[in-house]
Amino acid sequence: MPLSELTQALARHGLRLRGGFATDGGTDGDILSAAPGTRSLILIGNVGSELWDKSGAEIAALGEPDPLDRWTRSVIEPIASSVNGVALFPFAGPPYWPFQRWAERAEGVRNSPLGIQIHPEFGLWHAYRAAILLPGELNLPEPQWRSHPCDTCAERPCLSACPVGAFTGTTYEVDHCVDHVVSSRQDDQACFQRGCLARIACPVGGAWRYEREHAAFHMDAFVTARLAAR
């Protein structure tokens, strides 16, 4: 399947091809152990609320537990099989695949002060849902940017917008964050209903901000997972 057809197949579900890279025998031992002969890795993800606009009803219909993860598998695994590839997922673990490191290589993104990787166009409103390991080499373009949006952001409103000061720029007090989200669950202007206020405060990519119901879905999934891990 040519990359153009793969892109179209993903778009039908509200997903995007998020770049990729050629594997290196010296540094990608984990990838080559999972699928010997892999020559390329491509990343698949979502941007803004496109995923929910196209596939939200299907995801919701699956019900708990983990409807988004189960839906992702059901969509990506057949696509990977159609291109003789192997699908990997960020939620399949432990151990977990290094999706952040792969994203740096594939798209040139880097971490924001919130620990979320920031994209120069989409800001913090994007995610990586899967990777496909391929046996052939692909002519994938290099990332077109090298600057980091946060380097020129003097005020860093993301750090001051958190109601409980959970972010310092170098650390994240996840328990403070979760406790606040749970305690303010019914507050229409707080993080659970609107989405993370620190994330919303970022001036980059505002046009791609998740719709409220989609932000609430992700917030609920985050809190559920963190509480279960305690």
Side-chain angles (χ1 to χ4, degrees):
M1 180 186 293
L3 281 181
S4 60
E5 292 183 20
L6 176 59
T7 299
Q8 292 173 6
L10 294 170
R12 287 194 288 270
H13 301 284
L15 295 167
R16 292 194 183 200
L17 176 61
R18 300 289 305 275
F21 54 85
T23 54
D24 182 290
T27 59
D28 292 321
D30 53 351
I31 295 173
L32 298 175
S33 294
T38 294
R39 305 292 294 276
S40 305
L41 179 149
I42 57 174
L43 285 177
I44 295 163
N46 62 280
V47 171
S49 285
E50 292 175 343
L51 169 64
W52 299 100
D53 293 340
K54 294 289 183 67
S55 301
E58 293 178 30
I59 296 169
L62 292 176
E64 296 297 336
D66 306 318
L68 179 55
D69 293 349
R70 289 188 288 127
W71 175 87
T72 301
R73 280 190 182 276
S74 72
V75 169
I76 298 302
E77 287 180 341
I79 290 177
S81 179
S82 72
V83 293
N84 297 316
V86 175
L88 303 177
F89 303 96
F91 49 79
Y96 295 99
W97 294 103
F99 269 75
Q100 285 195 323
R101 176 164 58 83
W102 293 346
E104 290 178 8
R105 292 170 66 182
E107 286 202 300
V109 294
R110 288 163 53 194
N111 279 0
S112 70
L114 304 184
I116 305 170
Q117 287 179 316
I118 188 167
H119 187 280
E121 179 183 355
F122 310 132
L124 303 174
W125 307 105
H126 68 105
Y128 300 96
R129 299 290 169 201
I132 297 179
L133 309 183
L134 296 169
E137 292 185 1
L138 298 176
N139 184 23
L140 295 165
E142 290 289 328
Q144 298 301 305
W145 51 82
R146 294 299 176 195
S147 61
H148 191 323
C150 301
D151 290 344
T152 55
C153 183
E155 295 184 0
R156 298 206 166 188
C158 60
L159 297 182
S160 59
C162 176
V164 291
F167 303 99
T168 68
T170 56
T171 60
Y172 170 38
E173 296 292 341
V174 64
D175 287 336
H176 292 173
C177 171
V178 171
D179 290 343
H180 168 72
V181 173
V182 171
S183 66
S184 61
R185 195 181 187 104
Q186 302 305 317
D187 185 343
D188 189 56
Q189 297 303 309
C191 295
F192 184 87
Q193 297 291 338
R194 295 186 60 195
C196 173
L197 297 183
R199 195 173 185 177
I200 291 172
C202 175
V204 182
W208 297 95
R209 184 182 300 170
Y210 295 159
E211 299 291 338
R212 285 182 65 133
E213 63 182 293
H214 309 150
F217 173 92
H218 289 294
M219 189 62 74
D220 184 52
F222 160 70
V223 169
T224 299
R226 295 305 308 188
L227 291 176
R230 285 185 173 178

